[in-house]
Amino acid sequence: MANPLFITVCLSLGTYLICGIPFGLIITSLMTHTDIRSMGSGNIGSTNVGRSVGKTAAALTLIADTCKAFVCSVLTREVVVATLAAGQRSATMPDGAWGWIGGIVVAMAIIGHVFSPYLHFTGGKGIAAGFGAIIGYAPLVACGLLIVFLGLVCTTKLVSAGSVAAAISMPVWIVVLYQATPQVLVSIVLASCIVVWAHRSNICKLLQGEEKRFSFHASNGEK
C-alpha cells in the first residue's frame, strides 16, 4: 500500500505551488502592462482587478484562480482513489476514511493563494481559490457558500462582507451537509481562519463604515 503521508505531502506541496500562481498579476500585466499591486487596494484578486482594470480582466482572474484550485482538488481525489482508497470514491468525501487529505488540500489551496511563494509570500485573499477547491472536494458546500456570498453582495454591494461571511460559514456547511470527520473539520476551520485573516483590513473598514461598495472600472470601452 502507498504511503499516505508521502502522498499527502506531495499533493499539498503541489497544490501550494500551483495555487500560488498570481493570475491576477499575470493577466493585468499582459492586458495593461501595469502591476496590479500598484493599483487600487494593491490586491491581486479579481475584486481589485475589476475595480482597477475592468470586467474582462476580473472575469479572467476569477476563472483562473478558481480553476487552479479546482484542478488541484479533483486531481487529489483521483490520486487518493487510485492509491489509497481502492477505487472507492466515497472514501475521499469529507466523511470518508481518506477525506482528511482533501481537507488539507483545500487549506493548502488557500494558503498558496494568500501566501504565494512567487510574491514573497503575499498574495490574494483566498476566496476564488478556496471556492474552486471546495467545488472539487465538497460541491454541496460550494453551493452553500455561494448562497451566503451572493445574498450579502447583492444586498449590500460589499464583496468583503460576503467573502468573510462565506468563509465563516464554511465549517458549518461541511458539518451539516457532509458530517465531516474531526480531522477534516480542523483543516476547514484553518482555511476559514486564513481567509478571515486575509480580510482583516476589510473587516476594520466594515466596522468603521468605510468599506467601498463594489463597481467595475470602465476601461477599453467596457461599461
Side-chain angles (χ1 to χ4, degrees):
M1 184 178 181
N3 187 312
L5 179 59
F6 177 75
I7 290 173
T8 302
V9 169
C10 290
L11 290 170
S12 298
L13 180 59
T15 297
Y16 175 71
L17 294 175
I18 291 171
C19 290
I21 299 173
F23 282 111
L25 176 62
I26 294 169
I27 290 167
T28 53
S29 295
L30 291 173
M31 293 181 67
T32 68
H33 305 292
T34 317
D35 190 330
I36 187 62
R37 293 172 294 179
S38 66
M39 305 169 71
S41 67
N43 192 266
I44 65 169
S46 57
T47 299
N48 188 45
V49 171
R51 283 184 174 136
S52 304
V53 180
K55 297 177 182 178
T56 301
L60 291 173
T61 300
L62 180 63
I63 291 169
D65 284 343
T66 302
C67 287
K68 69 184 181 184
F70 173 74
V71 168
C72 289
S73 196
V74 171
L75 285 176
T76 292
R77 172 163 287 168
E78 294 303 318
V79 169
V80 173
V81 166
T83 59
L84 299 171
Q88 297 181 11
R89 292 186 177 278
S90 60
T92 65
M93 298 300 290
D95 60 345
W98 298 106
W100 59 272
I101 298 179
I104 290 174
V105 165
V106 170
M108 290 304 297
I110 293 173
I111 290 171
H113 187 73
V114 175
F115 305 104
S116 171
Y118 314 112
L119 299 177
H120 306 292
F121 304 104
T122 62
K125 297 188 177 179
I127 291 298
F131 185 65
I134 281 290
I135 293 174
Y137 176 56
L140 292 179
V141 172
C143 293
L145 297 180
L146 194 60
I147 290 170
V148 173
F149 177 80
L150 291 179
L152 271 173
V153 173
C154 289
T155 55
T156 68
K157 302 297 182 184
L158 294 168
V159 174
S160 58
S163 300
V164 171
I168 291 172
S169 74
M170 187 161 57
V172 177
W173 286 117
I174 205 156
V175 171
V176 171
L177 297 174
Y178 288 97
Q179 293 76 53
T181 65
Q183 296 94 324
V184 168
L185 187 57
V186 168
S187 295
I188 299 303
V189 168
L190 173 62
S192 177
C193 288
I194 292 170
V195 172
V196 172
W197 179 86
H199 284 82
R200 61 197 183 281
S201 62
N202 302 93
I203 293 171
C204 290
K205 291 177 181 178
L206 285 168
L207 294 174
Q208 296 168 4
E210 299 175 353
E211 182 73 333
K212 293 181 180 179
R213 299 183 190 277
F214 182 77
S215 62
F216 282 109
H217 173 76
S219 147
N220 299 322
E222 291 182 346
K223 302 294 183 182

